[in-house]
Amino acid sequence: MRAQSSATAPSPIAVATPAPERPGFGTLQAALGVVAFSLTFPATAWGLEGFGPWSLVAVRSVLAAVIAGGCLLVLRVPPPARRHWPGLAVVGAGVVLGFPLLTTLALETSTTAHAAVVVGLLPLTTALCSALRIGTRPSRTFWVAALAGAAAVLAFTVQQSGGALSTADLYLFAALLVCAAGYTEGGRLARVVPGWQVIGWALVLCLPLTVPVAALALAHEPVRLTAHSVTGLLWVAAGSQFVGLVVWYRGMAAIGIPKASQLQLAQPLLTLVWSVLLLGEHLTVAAPLTAAAVLVCIAVTQRSRG
C-alpha cells in the first residue's frame, strides 16, 4: 500500500515543469528580452539624473520584487523546492544585484556607448559559462560565429568610446562575469521552473537586503524627481528587471542558453540607437556595417547544431 500511494502521489517537479514551447516562439521571447535589455542603459542614465547609484539600484530591485511578489501571491505559486534555492541565490547575486549595481556605477562616468561593451561580450561569456556549468557543447561553427560577432561588437563599441580604459571598465568587466553566471543559472532553472518564477523568486529572495539598502541610500543620497528620473526608474524596475527577464529566461529554456545568448549580439547596437533617440548621442558610419555583420553572425549561430 505504501508503494502504491507513493507511486500515485503528484511529483513537485512534474507540477513545476513548464510545457515545452516551439523553438520559434522561444526565439521571439528571447529577442523581446534583448529589446527590453537594450533600453536599460539609457533608462539608467535617465534615472541617474534624479537618484544616486545605490538608491537607483536598490529601489528598482524593491519595486521589481513587489511586482513579482504580487504575481506570485495572486497566482498562489508555492515556493520552489529547497534544491533550487542555491541557484536562485546565484541569479539574485548576478542579475538582481551585481549587474545593475556595477553598470550603474560605471554609467556615472561612462557613456552608454562605452558601457555597451559589456553586452557585446556577454553572449560569448554566457556561452562559456554554460559550457562549464551545465556541459553544453556547441558546434565549432557556433563558436566561430560567436567569436566573430563578439569581436565585431567589441571593436565597434571600443572605437565609439575611444578605447581608453578606466575605473568604469573594471565595473563593466566585473558586471560581465556576474551577469553571465546569473543568466546561465537562470536558464538552467527555467527548464524545470517557469521562467517568470525564476526571476520572481530571485527578486523576493533579495528583499531582506534591498529594502534596508534602499532606505539607507535614500536617506544619504539626494533625490530629484523629474520626468526622466521617474521614467528611467520605472523602466529598469518593471521592464528590465522583471518583464525582460521573464521572457528572456523562457526563451533560453526553449532554444538553449548558447543560442539565446547570441541574440544579445544585437543589444549594443539597439542600445546605441536608443542613446541617439533618448540621450542625444551620435553614431558613426560604422554602425550599419557592424549591424550587418552582427545579423550574419546571429543567423549562423541560430542555424548551427550543437
Side-chain angles (χ1 to χ4, degrees):
M1 292 294 292
R2 183 176 302 172
Q4 181 179 359
S5 92
S6 81
T8 58
S11 169
I13 299 179
V15 172
T17 302
E21 295 177 351
R22 297 186 304 276
F25 188 53
T27 300
L28 175 61
Q29 291 183 99
L32 290 174
V34 170
V35 173
F37 299 153
S38 71
L39 281 159
T40 299
F41 287 167
T44 299
W46 273 8
L48 286 172
E49 293 180 11
F51 296 91
W54 291 89
S55 299
L56 182 62
V57 172
V59 172
R60 71 179 270 185
S61 297
V62 171
L63 291 178
V66 170
I67 297 172
C71 293
L72 293 168
L73 186 63
V74 169
L75 296 176
R76 299 181 180 180
V77 177
R82 183 178 298 179
R83 67 182 179 279
H84 295 322
W85 284 104
L88 290 171
V90 174
V91 175
V95 177
V96 176
L97 300 176
F99 186 79
L101 177 60
L102 291 166
T103 54
T104 300
L105 291 173
L107 285 170
E108 282 197 296
T109 57
S110 171
T111 64
T112 56
H114 189 80
V117 70
V118 174
V119 288
L121 293 176
L122 190 55
L124 180 59
T125 309
T126 303
L128 287 171
C129 189
S130 173
L132 294 173
R133 175 67 178 91
I134 61 180
T136 56
R137 293 293 181 268
S139 66
R140 183 177 299 178
T141 301
F142 177 96
W143 285 115
V144 171
L147 287 170
V153 171
L154 179 60
F156 177 66
T157 52
V158 169
Q159 184 271 334
Q160 287 286 296
S161 63
L165 295 178
S166 63
T167 303
D169 291 300
L170 299 179
Y171 288 135
L172 294 172
F173 286 122
L176 174 70
L177 297 177
V178 298
C179 191
Y183 277 176
T184 298
E185 202 65 22
R188 184 186 68 82
L189 289 173
R191 295 177 176 178
V192 294
V193 179
W196 75 272
Q197 293 182 27
V198 171
I199 186 58
W201 286 115
L203 285 163
V204 171
L205 181 65
C206 293
L207 272 176
L209 179 62
T210 55
V211 169
V213 170
L216 188 63
L218 288 172
H220 289 82
E221 291 181 337
V223 175
R224 186 167 60 92
L225 299 181
T226 65
H228 274 185
S229 64
V230 173
T231 300
L233 171 62
L234 292 178
W235 176 258
V236 294
S240 303
Q241 194 84 71
F242 183 62
V243 176
L245 284 169
V246 167
V247 293
W248 174 244
Y249 282 138
R250 286 176 64 92
M252 281 199 296
I255 65 175
I257 296 173
K259 286 190 176 182
S261 69
Q262 298 316 301
L263 292 175
Q264 280 195 306
L265 287 169
Q267 186 174 324
L269 303 178
L270 290 173
T271 298
L272 291 173
V273 171
W274 296 125
S275 298
V276 170
L277 296 177
L278 302 177
L279 303 177
E281 295 185 3
H282 298 283
L283 295 180
T284 67
V285 294
L289 297 177
T290 308
V294 167
L295 289 175
V296 170
C297 292
I298 291 175
V300 173
T301 58
Q302 293 301 299
R303 290 179 176 274
S304 66
R305 298 289 182 178

